[in-house]
Amino acid sequence: MISAFVAAITNAIEVLASKEVLSGHKMPSKTLFSFGSALIFFVSTVFFLFWGEIDFYQISFFHWIIFGAIILVAYFYNYLYYDGLKGGLICDVEPIIMSYPLLTMILATIIYPDERNWHVLVPAFIAGFVLIYSRYERNRFKINKYSALMFGYAFLAAIEAIFIKYTLEIMSPIALYTIRIGILSFLFLVFAKPDLSKFKKKSWPLMILISIVVPIELMTLYTAIDRLGLVVANLIFLIGPVLILSISKFLFKEKVTVKRALSNIVILICIAVAILIS
């Protein structure tokens, strides 16, 4: 369960650091996810050398198909996510980004019978809907190019999570993430053709931070999915947006409304209830 909390905390760090690099440093999204993926792969390899495990005897042809689907889905949703994050206003894209855990939980209950623990699902769905509603502001939210990109990201990321649970049958979380990011980094460098001349020296500290926290975030999230299931892992993962809002208040001087403050309390209560029940 600790792994899910670590994933949520590092997710908050990653989102805030990526937004600063994209918007504050004016780095093209292709440069960030292409060069960033290569750095992340090198860091992940260190983890893999110590804790990476693959059960070659249990791998079936269908496992390879699902793994190929993971690569394909992740390749496209990275374009959607970083383009949307760079160009969209936080008030427009954040509610859509946060629909990813909810979509994942819905798909998990449909596809995996072992995820249908209604004592956990009820607080999980309440927390998911409350999170999205609290971030929605009718007079500010607009359906535009960037929000459409985030809708695509949320849907594809939820599908990937379903595939990941199946693939964890034959790979450890660290092995799965390392191989996944290794292949993706190669594809990004070859096909995205990032413009490294747009990389600024002042971006190095944040890029190093991202290259460290992202492997920790995803490896611990995969571990949580493997041990706790998709529903519980993604419910705890909702702590990330709560932290992002709290940190943004101090970093970006964003106003925290009563609605958002109350929703954060409800989300934390739902997470606590689900943890106690599970």
Side-chain angles (χ1 to χ4, degrees):
M1 194 165 290
I2 294 176
S3 59
F5 284 102
V6 173
I9 294 170
T10 49
N11 170 256
I13 298 172
E14 180 265 322
V15 171
L16 293 171
S18 295
K19 181 61 179 175
E20 176 61 22
V21 171
L22 289 168
S23 299
H25 298 184
K26 308 299 181 183
M27 181 181 292
S29 56
K30 287 183 180 181
T31 303
L32 174 58
F33 68 69
S34 298
F35 188 62
S37 294
L39 292 176
I40 291 168
F41 173 61
F42 285 116
V43 174
S44 301
T45 302
V46 176
F47 291 98
F48 179 81
L49 293 175
F50 291 95
W51 298 288
E53 295 179 5
I54 303 174
D55 189 351
F56 290 101
Y57 295 102
Q58 298 298 323
I59 297 178
S60 66
F61 179 70
F62 191 64
H63 281 116
W64 288 117
I65 294 177
I66 293 298
F67 182 73
I70 290 174
I71 299 298
L72 185 64
V73 168
Y75 179 83
F76 285 109
Y77 81 53
N78 270 278
Y79 281 90
L80 301 178
Y81 175 79
Y82 286 103
D83 283 349
L85 186 63
K86 180 178 178 62
L89 298 174
I90 290 296
C91 62
D92 288 342
V93 302
E94 186 189 17
I96 306 171
I97 296 173
M98 293 307 102
S99 66
Y100 148 68
L102 182 60
L103 287 173
T104 300
M105 290 186 284
I106 292 173
L107 288 177
T109 59
I110 295 173
I111 296 173
Y112 292 111
D114 62 325
E115 297 281 356
R116 298 168 193 165
N117 181 348
W118 290 103
H119 296 292
V120 176
L121 283 173
V122 170
F125 287 153
I126 291 174
F129 281 114
V130 166
L131 176 66
I132 296 173
Y133 173 75
S134 68
R135 271 56 175 177
Y136 175 81
E137 297 181 27
R138 184 180 302 175
N139 61 329
R140 297 178 65 184
F141 184 83
K142 298 178 181 178
I143 298 296
N144 53 31
K145 170 186 175 181
Y146 303 108
S147 57
L149 291 174
M150 283 304 183
F151 272 121
Y153 155 74
F155 180 71
L156 291 177
I159 292 176
E160 184 200 32
I162 301 301
F163 292 156
I164 284 194
K165 177 172 179 175
Y166 180 77
T167 311
L168 287 171
E169 294 178 357
I170 48 93
M171 292 186 191
S172 68
I174 291 175
L176 174 55
Y177 180 72
T178 303
I179 297 172
R180 170 189 173 277
I181 193 62
I183 295 174
L184 285 172
S185 64
F186 172 78
L187 294 175
F188 289 145
L189 290 172
V190 172
F191 295 106
K193 295 180 172 57
D195 185 359
L196 297 182
S197 66
K198 298 293 181 66
F199 189 94
K200 300 177 181 178
K201 291 182 179 180
K202 67 177 182 179
S203 299
W204 268 112
L206 284 177
M207 289 299 295
I208 292 174
L209 176 64
I210 291 171
S211 69
I212 294 173
V213 299
V214 169
I216 297 174
E217 173 194 346
L218 275 300
M219 289 175 182
T220 52
L221 179 60
Y222 289 6
T223 300
I225 291 173
D226 188 37
R227 297 178 181 178
L228 304 175
L230 283 164
V231 172
V232 176
N234 278 276
L235 174 59
I236 298 175
F237 197 64
L238 291 178
I239 292 176
V242 175
L243 289 174
I244 291 172
L245 178 64
S246 302
I247 296 172
S248 295
K249 180 181 184 299
F250 299 100
L251 291 182
F252 307 114
K253 308 301 180 183
E254 293 186 4
K255 183 180 178 181
V256 178
T257 63
V258 174
K259 182 174 75 171
R260 290 193 174 193
L262 290 175
S263 71
N264 287 345
I265 295 174
V266 172
I267 292 168
L268 293 175
I269 291 174
C270 289
I271 292 172
V273 169
I275 290 174
L276 291 174
I277 292 174
S278 64

